[in-house]
Amino acid sequence: MSEKFEVSGTVIKLFDTKIISDKFSVREFVVRIEEDTEYPQSICLQAAGKRVPLLDDVAAGDVVAISFNLRGREYTGGARHFCNLDAWKIEVVQPGERSRDGEDVPF
């Protein structure tokens, strides 16, 4: 699949990095999409492998533009299928507010 997906929104949560193996890690984050202001959507994306550092300069409250790939896989036995939104480019469009000590300001 060569189609490029993009979305913009506000980061509402960043999860800790999960170490899958000594050569692979993944970090998930949630972005609120407010294109339809009556029903904003919160979607979970991930940065995997060498792309995990893309989230180092991102904080809750930042408005970001994300380019990502849609990935799907079958769970063992074929009873379920999963999809991942794998971010490969993250740009902070507008930084969120931060407190003086560098911690994120809660919503």
Side-chain angles (χ1 to χ4, degrees):
M1 177 182 339
S2 61
E3 187 172 350
K4 177 170 103 171
F5 296 95
E6 296 178 336
V7 69
S8 295
T10 304
V11 176
I12 58 173
K13 184 154 180 83
L14 290 155
F15 294 95
D16 292 334
T17 301
K18 296 178 189 174
I19 308 295
I20 308 302
S21 71
D22 58 341
K23 295 183 180 183
F24 187 74
S25 58
V26 65
R27 187 170 184 192
E28 295 179 325
F29 60 106
V30 179
V31 176
R32 179 172 292 126
I33 311 302
E34 299 190 31
E35 292 172 357
D36 179 356
T37 55
E38 186 174 356
Y39 301 105
Q41 300 293 309
S42 296
I43 60 169
C44 185
L45 297 103
Q46 68 179 22
K50 66 181 181 181
R51 304 232 194 288
V52 170
L54 291 174
L55 292 167
D56 288 350
D57 295 325
V58 177
D62 289 350
V63 176
V64 293
I66 305 159
S67 298
F68 64 96
N69 293 327
L70 178 63
R71 301 279 184 217
R73 68 182 190 281
E74 180 180 331
Y75 186 71
T76 306
R80 289 199 59 166
H81 290 77
F82 295 89
C83 75
N84 293 323
L85 306 178
D86 286 331
W88 51 270
K89 183 178 179 185
I90 304 169
E91 295 180 72
V92 176
V93 176
Q94 179 180 347
E97 293 185 26
R98 306 249 167 55
S99 65
R100 284 183 236 163
D101 63 0
E103 293 297 315
D104 297 335
V105 176
F107 292 100

